[in-house]
Amino acid sequence: MSDEARPAEYCYLPEYRTLSICTTCFGLFDDESLGPLGREQQLCACAPSRGDRWPGYDYNERARLCDCCGRYVLRSGSRWSVWFCDECKARVLALNGEVGFPLIPIGRHSMMNGVGLGGAVDEKAIARFEARLGGLVSRMELLSRTWKPEHLRAELVRLGLLDGEGAGGAGAVPLAVYLGAVADEDGARGVQPPSGVDQRHAAFLELRDVFGAPD
């Protein structure tokens, strides 16, 4: 079975064949060594510049890995793009409902997280909005710049795609190779017996601890 067929159920598409995981910032980027691009080049955070905004996109990212489990590929590039696969999103929304506020942000736009100005707008309302927005942005930073890269690094090490010192050889792991290893671990398509561990649920439990969610 091909590298692209095995991870297909993790929402991998042929158009993602040039994407790799950077072993420095752990973002997805187009690795030109994997073949012709034929589209705008996605860059990771290590790049000095993201370039001009692509036509039809709000920001230059066409795909990202789930910000919780890191095991599913999500379409991206819109200000309304959701950062979680369906299962992880359901868990995050349930947790946010329990605590009564967007403890874990689900996307980039404040309105996706229930943070906005409504009704009569005065100085007090603006001050409350700014305070809520500031807290939301801080939690976005915790999610995308602390939790996610640390989690993906640990996953790559655990799956044997990165050594324990963080050395990644060429500095990248092809996305198809990573998702193939995920599929092998899960027993996807009968490749091997399941590990018996629900890695998505385990990741969520770790994520809620990082955000200090109550038990």
Side-chain angles (χ1 to χ4, degrees):
M1 188 173 293
S2 71
D3 284 343
E4 291 188 0
R6 288 190 302 153
E9 67 179 66
Y10 296 88
C11 303
Y12 179 88
L13 300 171
E15 67 192 68
Y16 300 151
R17 68 187 182 282
T18 57
L19 287 173
S20 290
I21 303 172
C22 172
T23 57
T24 299
C25 70
F26 297 93
L28 291 182
F29 74 101
D30 278 310
D31 188 341
E32 295 180 83
S33 69
L34 296 180
L37 299 179
R39 61 176 62 84
E40 294 88 350
Q41 183 179 6
Q42 180 166 320
L43 304 175
C44 67
C46 296
S49 172
R50 299 297 181 95
D52 296 333
R53 191 172 68 183
W54 302 342
Y57 284 77
D58 292 323
Y59 55 98
N60 295 352
E61 180 181 78
R62 73 177 191 278
R64 68 187 290 134
L65 289 168
C66 172
D67 280 43
C68 178
C69 69
R71 299 167 82 85
Y72 283 75
V73 191
L74 312 174
R75 288 192 179 276
S76 190
S78 166
R79 71 189 70 181
W80 303 105
S81 297
V82 177
W83 290 342
F84 301 100
C85 66
D86 289 345
E87 185 172 315
C88 291
K89 177 186 174 184
R91 288 180 171 132
V92 168
L93 289 177
L95 173 61
N96 289 347
E98 290 173 9
V99 300
F101 72 100
L103 176 64
I104 301 177
I106 66 166
R108 178 181 297 258
H109 201 292
S110 65
M111 293 296 292
M112 297 175 67
N113 299 286
V115 176
L117 277 171
V121 178
D122 54 23
E123 290 186 2
K124 289 184 178 179
I126 293 173
R128 287 195 298 270
F129 169 72
E130 289 177 344
R132 293 182 67 199
L133 183 61
L136 180 67
V137 170
S138 294
R139 296 193 298 278
M140 289 178 178
E141 295 285 319
L142 175 60
L143 177 66
S144 62
R145 298 196 178 184
T146 301
W147 154 262
K148 187 175 183 179
E150 290 179 356
H151 175 68
L152 284 175
R153 179 189 180 281
E155 288 294 280
L156 290 172
V157 170
R158 189 175 60 77
L159 291 169
L161 302 175
L162 190 67
D163 70 33
E165 299 300 319
V173 175
L175 179 60
V177 172
Y178 165 66
L179 292 178
V182 168
D184 286 352
E185 179 178 61
D186 287 348
R189 300 177 183 271
V191 173
Q192 68 179 40
S195 65
V197 177
D198 184 343
Q199 296 293 345
R200 280 201 282 183
H201 188 230
F204 173 72
L205 295 179
E206 292 180 19
L207 177 62
R208 62 175 291 150
D209 286 345
V210 167
F211 277 81
D215 295 330

